[in-house]
Amino acid sequence: MSFMNIEIKARCSDHDKIRKILKGKKAFFKGIDHQIDTYFVVKNGRLKLREGNIENSLIFYERSDKQGPKQSDVILYKSRDFKQLKKMLLKSIGSKVVVEKKREIYFVENVKIHVDEVKALGSFVEIEAIDKTGDIGKKKLHKQCNEFLDLFEIAQDQLITNSYSDMLLDKKIEIEDGSIDQVVELSKKIPEFEQPYEKYEYDQRLRFTKHKILVAKFNGKPVGFKVGYQQEDHFYSWMGAVLPGFRQLKIAKKLAEKQEEFCRKNYFKKIRMKTRNKHKIMLSFAIRSGFEIVDIIPKQDSKETRIILEKIL
């Protein structure tokens, strides 16, 4: 079964207030569910297996991370044998994180409200306006979410942009100084790198310049890196990548922020980087991060055209 919903997640320390409002709206109380959500390593979207005493499903969904109402496109699968399904998924693709929570489930027509206590994270409320038939439409779903947002008197600073899983994963990510050996080893696991540089190239470029090697670790395991060095009057952000299974954790953003912090501390006024026209995701990431295109080096194959970007600090 697939459907669309618009949802809002927010921190909420006063669950009694929410319950009182829902009682006044004559909400249907479905019950209290003890849920364990296991998130798996996937390239796109999010895949989780939910095990509870009320809800049990394998759920795939795609959703942007932003404050306020956001759309989720959901595919839901129910199985009679969750133990075997979980075992198969764990062995084949592996898990990223487990979210455990106590959830009170309420319904007001097609709007589902969750009053959540999440282990290691705290208290929250979720609003989900659901369209299972396609008859309601996105505009009305947004309106319903905003109505409950106002009803619950949720302030802007209470809104959460990412999922519980992302919040837990964020606690497992560390950015620290790394070594050339770590970078070389990681480079060999990056599918976009057709001919990854060997240690010699890193030694040659970094030996006599001010440089920074950063490595991102997830649960102590290296999963990403960023390397840069001084080049004339700027800092050149040379090489960087994140392993495919960890690209939804904003690790590239964390590495970039750490590199920028180093540049500011060392009085660099600008950062430059270079990418190829075919690397659309990297180009888009750079522009979103405040870089501007300052030069283009054409190649016979337009996909191989080099694009030079710069960010003024």
Side-chain angles (χ1 to χ4, degrees), residues 105-121:
I105 303 171
Y106 299 85
F107 280 92
V108 180
E109 297 178 346
N110 66 299
V111 181
K112 188 182 183 192
I113 295 97
H114 300 147
V115 176
D116 290 341
E117 286 288 347
V118 186
K119 187 175 180 180
L121 292 179

